Coordinates of all heavy atoms in Angstrom, one line a residue:
P112 N -39.1 -189.8 -52.9 CA -39.7 -191.1 -52.7 C -40.7 -191.5 -53.8 O -41.9 -191.7 -53.5 CB -40.3 -191.0 -51.3 CG -40.7 -189.6 -51.2 CD -39.5 -188.8 -51.9
V113 N -40.2 -191.6 -55.0 CA -41.1 -192.0 -56.1 C -40.8 -193.3 -56.7 O -41.6 -193.9 -57.5 CB -41.2 -190.9 -57.2 CG1 -41.8 -189.6 -56.7 CG2 -39.9 -190.7 -57.8
A114 N -39.6 -193.8 -56.4 CA -39.2 -195.1 -57.0 C -38.1 -195.8 -56.1 O -37.7 -195.2 -55.1 CB -38.6 -194.9 -58.4
D115 N -37.7 -197.0 -56.5 CA -36.9 -197.8 -55.6 C -35.4 -197.6 -55.9 O -34.6 -198.0 -55.1 CB -37.2 -199.2 -55.7 CG -37.2 -199.8 -57.1 OD1 -36.9 -199.0 -58.0 OD2 -37.4 -201.0 -57.2
T116 N -35.0 -197.0 -57.0 CA -33.6 -196.7 -57.3 C -33.5 -195.3 -57.8 O -34.4 -194.7 -58.3 CB -33.0 -197.7 -58.3 OG1 -33.6 -197.4 -59.6 CG2 -33.2 -199.1 -57.9
R117 N -32.3 -194.7 -57.7 CA -32.1 -193.4 -58.2 C -32.3 -193.3 -59.7 O -32.8 -192.3 -60.1 CB -30.7 -192.9 -57.8 CG -30.5 -192.6 -56.3 CD -29.2 -192.0 -55.9 NE -29.0 -192.0 -54.5 CZ -29.3 -191.1 -53.7 NH1 -29.9 -190.0 -54.1 NH2 -29.1 -191.2 -52.4
W118 N -31.9 -194.3 -60.4 CA -32.1 -194.3 -61.8 C -33.6 -194.2 -62.2 O -34.1 -193.5 -63.0 CB -31.5 -195.5 -62.5 CG -31.8 -195.6 -64.0 CD1 -32.4 -196.6 -64.6 CD2 -31.4 -194.6 -65.0 NE1 -32.5 -196.3 -65.9 CE2 -31.9 -195.1 -66.2 CE3 -30.8 -193.4 -65.0 CZ2 -31.8 -194.5 -67.4 CZ3 -30.6 -192.7 -66.2 CH2 -31.1 -193.3 -67.4
R119 N -34.4 -195.0 -61.5 CA -35.9 -195.0 -61.7 C -36.5 -193.7 -61.2 O -37.5 -193.2 -61.8 CB -36.5 -196.2 -61.0 CG -36.3 -197.5 -61.7 CD -37.2 -198.6 -61.1 NE -36.9 -199.9 -61.7 CZ -37.6 -200.4 -62.7 NH1 -38.6 -199.7 -63.2 NH2 -37.3 -201.5 -63.2
I120 N -36.0 -193.2 -60.1 CA -36.4 -191.8 -59.7 C -36.2 -190.8 -60.8 O -37.1 -190.1 -61.2 CB -35.7 -191.4 -58.4 CG1 -36.1 -192.2 -57.2 CG2 -36.0 -189.9 -58.1 CD1 -35.2 -192.0 -56.0
W121 N -35.0 -190.8 -61.3 CA -34.7 -189.9 -62.4 C -35.6 -190.1 -63.6 O -36.2 -189.1 -64.1 CB -33.2 -190.1 -62.9 CG -32.8 -189.0 -63.8 CD1 -32.1 -187.8 -63.4 CD2 -32.9 -188.9 -65.2 NE1 -31.9 -187.1 -64.6 CE2 -32.4 -187.7 -65.7 CE3 -33.5 -189.8 -66.1 CZ2 -32.4 -187.3 -67.0 CZ3 -33.5 -189.4 -67.5 CH2 -33.0 -188.2 -67.9
L122 N -35.8 -191.3 -64.0 CA -36.6 -191.5 -65.2 C -38.1 -191.2 -65.0 O -38.8 -190.6 -65.8 CB -36.4 -193.0 -65.7 CG -36.9 -193.3 -67.1 CD1 -36.3 -192.4 -68.1 CD2 -36.5 -194.8 -67.4
A123 N -38.6 -191.6 -63.8 CA -40.0 -191.3 -63.5 C -40.3 -189.8 -63.4 O -41.3 -189.4 -64.0 CB -40.4 -192.0 -62.2
V124 N -39.4 -189.1 -62.8 CA -39.6 -187.6 -62.7 C -39.4 -187.0 -64.0 O -40.2 -186.1 -64.4 CB -38.7 -187.0 -61.6 CG1 -38.7 -185.5 -61.6 CG2 -39.1 -187.5 -60.2
A125 N -38.4 -187.4 -64.8 CA -38.2 -186.8 -66.1 C -39.4 -187.0 -67.0 O -39.9 -186.1 -67.7 CB -37.0 -187.4 -66.8
L126 N -40.0 -188.2 -67.0 CA -41.2 -188.5 -67.8 C -42.4 -187.7 -67.3 O -43.2 -187.2 -68.1 CB -41.4 -190.0 -67.9 CG -40.5 -190.8 -68.8 CD1 -40.8 -192.2 -68.7 CD2 -40.5 -190.3 -70.2
A127 N -42.5 -187.7 -66.0 CA -43.7 -186.9 -65.4 C -43.6 -185.5 -65.8 O -44.6 -184.9 -66.2 CB -43.7 -187.1 -63.9
W128 N -42.4 -184.8 -65.7 CA -42.2 -183.4 -66.1 C -42.5 -183.3 -67.6 O -43.1 -182.4 -68.1 CB -40.9 -182.9 -65.8 CG -40.7 -181.5 -66.0 CD1 -40.5 -180.8 -67.2 CD2 -40.7 -180.5 -65.0 NE1 -40.4 -179.5 -67.0 CE2 -40.5 -179.2 -65.6 CE3 -40.9 -180.5 -63.6 CZ2 -40.5 -178.0 -64.9 CZ3 -40.8 -179.3 -62.9 CH2 -40.6 -178.1 -63.6
A129 N -42.0 -184.2 -68.4 CA -42.1 -184.2 -69.9 C -43.5 -184.3 -70.4 O -43.8 -183.8 -71.5 CB -41.2 -185.2 -70.6
T130 N -44.4 -184.8 -69.6 CA -45.8 -184.9 -70.0 C -46.4 -183.5 -70.1 O -47.3 -183.3 -70.9 CB -46.7 -185.7 -69.0 OG1 -46.7 -185.2 -67.7 CG2 -46.2 -187.2 -69.0
H131 N -45.9 -182.6 -69.3 CA -46.4 -181.2 -69.3 C -46.3 -180.5 -70.7 O -47.2 -180.1 -71.3 CB -45.9 -180.4 -68.2 CG -46.6 -179.1 -68.0 ND1 -47.4 -178.9 -67.0 CD2 -46.6 -177.9 -68.8 CE1 -48.0 -177.6 -67.1 NE2 -47.5 -177.1 -68.2
P132 N -45.0 -180.5 -71.2 CA -44.9 -179.9 -72.5 C -45.6 -180.6 -73.6 O -46.1 -180.1 -74.6 CB -43.4 -179.8 -72.8 CG -42.7 -180.5 -71.7 CD -43.7 -180.7 -70.6
L133 N -45.7 -182.0 -73.5 CA -46.4 -182.8 -74.5 C -47.9 -182.4 -74.5 O -48.4 -182.1 -75.6 CB -46.3 -184.3 -74.2 CG -47.1 -185.2 -75.1 CD1 -46.6 -185.1 -76.5 CD2 -47.0 -186.6 -74.6
L134 N -48.5 -182.3 -73.3 CA -49.9 -182.0 -73.3 C -50.2 -180.5 -73.8 O -51.1 -180.3 -74.5 CB -50.5 -182.1 -71.9 CG -51.2 -183.5 -71.6 CD1 -50.3 -184.6 -71.8 CD2 -51.8 -183.5 -70.2
D135 N -49.3 -179.6 -73.4 CA -49.4 -178.2 -73.9 C -49.2 -178.1 -75.4 O -49.9 -177.3 -76.0 CB -48.4 -177.3 -73.2 CG -48.9 -176.8 -71.8 OD1 -49.9 -177.4 -71.3 OD2 -48.2 -176.0 -71.2
A136 N -48.4 -178.9 -75.9 CA -48.2 -178.9 -77.4 C -49.4 -179.5 -78.1 O -49.7 -179.1 -79.3 CB -46.9 -179.7 -77.8
L137 N -50.2 -180.3 -77.4 CA -51.4 -180.9 -78.0 C -52.7 -180.1 -77.6 O -53.8 -180.6 -77.8 CB -51.5 -182.3 -77.6 CG -50.4 -183.3 -78.1 CD1 -50.5 -184.6 -77.4 CD2 -50.5 -183.4 -79.6
A138 N -52.5 -178.9 -77.1 CA -53.7 -178.1 -76.7 C -53.8 -176.9 -77.6 O -52.8 -176.4 -78.2 CB -53.5 -177.7 -75.2
D139 N -55.0 -176.3 -77.6 CA -55.3 -175.1 -78.3 C -54.3 -174.0 -77.6 O -54.1 -174.0 -76.4 CB -56.7 -174.6 -78.1 CG -57.7 -175.5 -78.9 OD1 -57.3 -176.0 -79.9 OD2 -58.8 -175.5 -78.5
D140 N -53.8 -173.1 -78.5 CA -52.9 -172.1 -78.0 C -53.2 -170.8 -78.8 O -53.0 -170.8 -80.0 CB -51.5 -172.5 -78.1 CG -50.5 -171.5 -77.4 OD1 -51.0 -170.5 -76.9 OD2 -49.3 -171.8 -77.3
S141 N -53.6 -169.8 -78.1 CA -53.9 -168.5 -78.8 C -53.1 -167.4 -78.3 O -53.3 -166.2 -78.7 CB -55.4 -168.2 -78.8 OG -55.8 -168.1 -77.4
S142 N -52.2 -167.7 -77.3 CA -51.4 -166.6 -76.7 C -50.0 -166.6 -77.3 O -49.2 -167.6 -77.2 CB -51.3 -166.8 -75.2 OG -52.5 -166.8 -74.6
P143 N -49.6 -165.6 -78.0 CA -48.2 -165.5 -78.6 C -47.2 -165.5 -77.6 O -47.4 -164.9 -76.5 CB -48.2 -164.2 -79.4 CG -49.6 -163.8 -79.5 CD -50.4 -164.4 -78.4
P144 N -46.1 -166.2 -77.8 CA -45.7 -167.0 -78.9 C -46.5 -168.3 -78.9 O -46.6 -168.9 -77.8 CB -44.2 -167.2 -78.8 CG -43.9 -167.1 -77.4 CD -45.0 -166.1 -76.8
I145 N -47.0 -168.8 -80.0 CA -47.8 -170.0 -80.1 C -46.8 -171.2 -79.9 O -45.8 -171.3 -80.5 CB -48.5 -170.1 -81.4 CG1 -49.4 -168.9 -81.7 CG2 -49.2 -171.4 -81.5 CD1 -50.5 -168.8 -80.7
G146 N -47.2 -172.1 -79.0 CA -46.4 -173.3 -78.8 C -45.6 -173.3 -77.5 O -45.8 -172.4 -76.6
I147 N -44.7 -174.2 -77.4 CA -43.8 -174.3 -76.2 C -42.4 -174.4 -76.7 O -42.1 -174.8 -77.8 CB -44.2 -175.5 -75.4 CG1 -44.2 -176.8 -76.2 CG2 -45.5 -175.3 -74.7 CD1 -44.0 -178.0 -75.5
M148 N -41.5 -174.0 -75.8 CA -40.0 -174.1 -76.1 C -39.5 -175.5 -75.6 O -38.7 -175.6 -74.7 CB -39.3 -173.0 -75.3 CG -37.9 -172.6 -75.8 SD -37.1 -171.4 -74.8 CE -38.1 -169.9 -75.0
A149 N -40.0 -176.5 -76.3 CA -39.8 -177.9 -75.9 C -38.4 -178.4 -75.9 O -38.0 -179.2 -75.1 CB -40.6 -178.8 -76.9
F150 N -37.5 -177.8 -76.8 CA -36.2 -178.4 -76.9 C -35.1 -177.4 -76.3 O -33.9 -177.5 -76.6 CB -35.9 -178.7 -78.3 CG -36.9 -179.7 -78.9 CD1 -37.8 -179.3 -79.8 CD2 -36.8 -181.0 -78.4 CE1 -38.8 -180.3 -80.2 CE2 -37.8 -181.9 -78.9 CZ -38.7 -181.6 -79.8
W151 N -35.5 -176.5 -75.4 CA -34.5 -175.7 -74.7 C -33.6 -176.6 -73.9 O -34.1 -177.6 -73.3 CB -35.3 -174.7 -73.8 CG -34.4 -173.9 -72.9 CD1 -33.8 -172.7 -73.3 CD2 -33.9 -174.2 -71.6 NE1 -33.0 -172.3 -72.2 CE2 -33.1 -173.2 -71.2 CE3 -34.2 -175.3 -70.7 CZ2 -32.5 -173.2 -69.9 CZ3 -33.6 -175.3 -69.5 CH2 -32.7 -174.2 -69.1
P152 N -32.4 -176.4 -73.7 CA -31.5 -175.3 -74.2 C -30.9 -175.5 -75.6 O -30.2 -174.6 -76.0 CB -30.5 -175.3 -73.1 CG -30.3 -176.7 -72.7 CD -31.6 -177.3 -72.8
V153 N -31.2 -176.5 -76.2 CA -30.7 -176.7 -77.6 C -31.2 -175.7 -78.5 O -30.4 -175.2 -79.4 CB -31.0 -178.2 -78.1 CG1 -30.6 -178.4 -79.5 CG2 -30.5 -179.2 -77.2
T154 N -32.4 -175.3 -78.5 CA -33.0 -174.3 -79.3 C -34.1 -173.5 -78.6 O -34.7 -174.1 -77.6 CB -33.6 -174.9 -80.6 OG1 -34.1 -173.8 -81.4 CG2 -34.7 -175.9 -80.3

C-alpha cells in the first residue's frame, strides 16, 4: 500500500530502495572493500 497502481508501487519502491546505495556512495567509507556493489548483477 504505497501507491495507487502496481506500476507506481514498483517505481516508488525501486526508487526508495535505490536511495540507499546512492547515499552510501556519497558517504565516507573506510571499511574495505571501499564503495558499494551498485550495479550487481551486471558487475
Side-chain angles (χ1 to χ4, degrees):
V113 296
D115 57 355
T116 67
R117 289 184 193 271
W118 174 243
R119 283 187 185 269
I120 293 169
W121 189 93
L122 197 53
V124 170
L126 287 177
W128 189 282
T130 62
H131 192 106
L133 174 64
L134 266 58
D135 277 8
L137 295 171
D139 289 334
D140 191 355
S141 59
S142 301
I145 303 297
I147 54 159
M148 201 184 290
F150 302 107
W151 175 87
V153 176
T154 180

